Amino acid sequence: MYCTDMASPQTLSQAERRVVATWAADCAERVVALFEAEAPADGRPRDAIARARAFARGELSAAEEIRRRFVAGRAAREVTSPAAVAAARSATQAAAVAHMGAHALGAAAYAAKAAGLAAPDRSLTVDDEVRWQLDHMTAEVRSALRQLPPLGGNSAGPLGSGLLASGILAAIIRAIQSDLARPDQPGSSS
């Protein structure tokens, strides 16, 4: 049962969730075409990305998005290619940032997984996508994501023992969190 009296360290403040929602939407948007190639008439994942951006701009409340966060996830059950499924899940995770900031790492992980599944040389493609994601984090995004507990370090949210904690998704999140743990370099692009 979800308890609202004690916030999870995976939640982040509303201001921080708004900051990371744009980055999560950017990650998901890079792969949404993989879903649309299989289901061109299904706009649920693209709508989830648009809602994540609207939440980031302050145009939607967290409460509105909490009620609608699983819509794009249902789209993932209606496609068959693993890359399309992962792309829809990336969009779902981006929309869920309104509820809990840790979902931004889920959006990034599913996006990198989708990119890897769609490419013949998967490991290099995943690494390239993760590098893009890291290179496109602002200092504010890095600062917010650094506050999240390490994957598996807290069970009260998506970084607990669920789907994000195993396989390629876990490897991607660990790579991102490892990079976030490094001190910022003077003159870096973040």
Side-chain angles (χ1 to χ4, degrees), residues 1 8 21 27 29 41 46 48-49 74 77 99 101 109 113 118 155 185:
M1 184 170 170
S8 164
C27 293
E29 192 162 50
R46 191 162 295 275
I49 293 167
R74 289 191 285 276
R77 294 191 297 257
H99 171 247
K113 178 181 180 178
S155 63
Q185 301 298 316

Side-chain angles (χ1 to χ4, degrees), residues 87-167:
R89 289 185 177 152
S90 178
T92 300
Q93 292 281 319
V97 168
H99 171 247
M100 192 169 274
H103 285 291
L105 293 176
Y110 274 113
K113 178 181 180 178
L117 289 168
D121 189 354
R122 292 181 182 167
S123 66
L124 289 178
T125 302
V126 169
D127 291 345
D128 289 345
E129 192 64 20
V130 170
R131 177 57 38 213
W132 182 92
Q133 293 169 352
L134 293 168
D135 288 346
H136 286 82
M137 281 184 189
T138 64
E140 293 81 11
V141 169
R142 289 182 76 79
S143 177
L145 292 178
R146 280 184 174 136
Q147 295 179 55
L148 295 172
L151 183 65
N154 174 270
S155 63
L159 299 179
S161 60
L163 292 175
L164 299 180
S166 63

Side-chain angles (χ1 to χ4, degrees), residues 43-68:
R44 290 177 291 184
R46 191 162 295 275
D47 180 60
I49 293 167
R51 288 193 333 269
R53 291 189 188 289
F55 171 76
R57 292 188 302 266
E59 297 167 4
L60 295 175
S61 73
E64 290 174 285
E65 286 311 291
I66 287 169
R67 285 191 297 274
R68 298 188 320 189

